[in-house]
Amino acid sequence: MNILHASSEVFPYSKTGGLADATAALAKAQAAAGHTVSIVTPLYPGIAAAFPDLEPLGQAEVPAKVWRLEPEPNLTVLFVDEPRWFDRDGLYGHGDDAERFIFFSRCVARLAKRAEIVHSHDWQAALAMPLLGQARVGKVFTIHNAAYQGRFPAEKFSLTGLPSDCFDWRQLEFHGDLNLLKGGIVFSDLATTVSPRYAEELLTPEYGCGLEGVFQAKGKALTGVLNGVDYAEWNTTDNPHLAAAYSADAHEGKAANKRALQCELGLSPLDDVPLFGNISRFAEQKGIDLLLGALEERLSDGTAFQFAGLGSGDAGLEEAMRNLTARFPGQVAVKIGFDNGLAHRIEAGSDFFVMPSRFEPCGLNQLYSLRYGAVPVVRATGGLEDSIVDLGQGDETATGIKFADCSVEALRQAIRQAVALYADPPRLAKVRNNGMRADFSWTRTTTEYGRLYATIS
Ligand code: ADP
């Protein structure tokens, strides 16, 4: 099958979050399964220098230069090179994001000529769905996060090149504005999201972000498919970022990674206290305020534990994390910024990984944590609910600790449970091993997408 993906970020060329990992790994797995796969993505600064093998794509009917790279057999990455829109720092959050990503989606639609399936991801690539209109191609749209919709003033609609009757409340109009995510959902043959639980949640006002009616109208054409992990990238046995290799069968190296992480971040070099990790965008979604509250309480009541954090985003949350680090030196260390290598080392060095998300479409960090032996402590929502088995299910199958309420108190209790688990080494080893042996590889996910594609092609 000839599949064309469109995504505004693709690892290792660009990344702000899980979208980059998910699209890269899905495309790679589909190519490995024998499909002919392309991914269209913008050419951001630094990519051309880091990947000197880029070649010009001839004869593309696209209003920009396009470069191609073939990182794997059957897999081509197509970079849309338009310096006016993409040669700048920061992927999103510019005043002209409507212009930038409407342009990107128009290029995607032009590059889709030979594809049997066009699979767009999130609002930045959503407009390709209506632009492809009646073209003889299967149109798939994946929502990685419904909270980001690409909502812009109505006058931006004229940039889309679509007939004016598409600016209608049943199509791209949303309360008087242009809503690109909505257009992707409405015009796709199949809408998918990144976990079965989130697919159910999207039907409710609590999680649907105003689009619950649009999701409901999709009926059976809305499906949840859990993301997978690229274990070639995220592994503990052959990983240049880690201090020592380890695995479910040989965990000695885990302790060496914990000690290396403590040294790197300036935490006290202690073996007998649990180390909690978190890597996150500092956004309301991720429950960083809950994490701060629960950590503060646990630190004040003298609980023996350490915390290693990495993230950036909301300025107030960054400041609060800096303060906590300053007040509890040796016990708390938070690095503000984006650092892929440190993300691997926090996963490898932590005993527990905390994700108190208010909502979590899939979440990749808990899947990485399972493989890295950092027992996930998660709020039971979206992909976290689908991928983690709670301690309460029994030691034979448990892989983590789940809590239901979105509150500091619930997280505090969950941390208490984790500290108790740490004090019971045989039980901790069992739960950790269950997680390390769990398989969330893309093979299963790719098969599921293949089945879905077959229903529309
Ligand atoms: P989301 O896509 O909502 O941000 P996910 O859990 O799906 O959350 O994916 C987050 C991805 O981004 C993970 O690979 C995580 O390691 C990475 N990540 C997030 N913040 C940082 C950071 N500050 N430094 C390095 N990697 C980060």
Side-chain angles (χ1 to χ4, degrees), residues 330-386:
Q331 199 176 358
V332 173
V334 181
K335 185 168 169 194
I336 307 297
F338 195 93
D339 184 337
N340 187 48
L342 181 56
H344 284 263
R345 291 191 290 280
I346 289 180
E347 295 279 9
S350 299
D351 299 298
F352 297 96
F353 195 92
V354 204
M355 293 181 75
S357 305
R358 290 197 159 74
F359 67 96
E360 195 57 78
C362 175
L364 289 172
N365 274 318
Q366 84 280 12
L367 304 180
Y368 303 153
S369 302
L370 288 172
R371 181 53 59 100
Y372 281 56
V375 176
V377 178
V378 303
R379 179 154 179 265
T381 180
L384 301 174
E385 170 72 343
D386 286 341

Side-chain angles (χ1 to χ4, degrees), residues 32 63 84 104 170 172 174 180 183 189 199 249 371 427 440:
R84 181 176 175 211
F104 173 63
R170 290 178 207 82
L172 285 115
F174 183 69
L180 296 173
D189 300 316
D249 298 317
R371 181 53 59 100
R427 192 171 183 217
F440 286 95

Side-chain angles (χ1 to χ4, degrees), residues 5-79:
H5 289 278
S7 174
S8 58
E9 52 185 277
V10 180
F11 185 82
Y13 315 104
S14 53
K15 172 168 171 175
T16 68
L19 173 66
D21 286 2
T23 49
L26 172 60
K28 192 169 144 188
Q30 288 174 329
H35 299 292
T36 302
V37 185
S38 317
I39 319 183
V40 190
T41 194
L43 188 82
Y44 298 111
I47 297 177
F51 297 90
D53 293 341
L54 295 186
E55 291 172 358
L57 179 78
Q59 318 221 323
E61 300 159 28
V62 178
K65 236 187 263 162
V66 178
W67 300 90
R68 67 192 294 280
L69 187 71
E70 220 180 298
E72 314 265 341
N74 298 339
L75 177 63
T76 307
V77 186
L78 299 173
F79 295 95

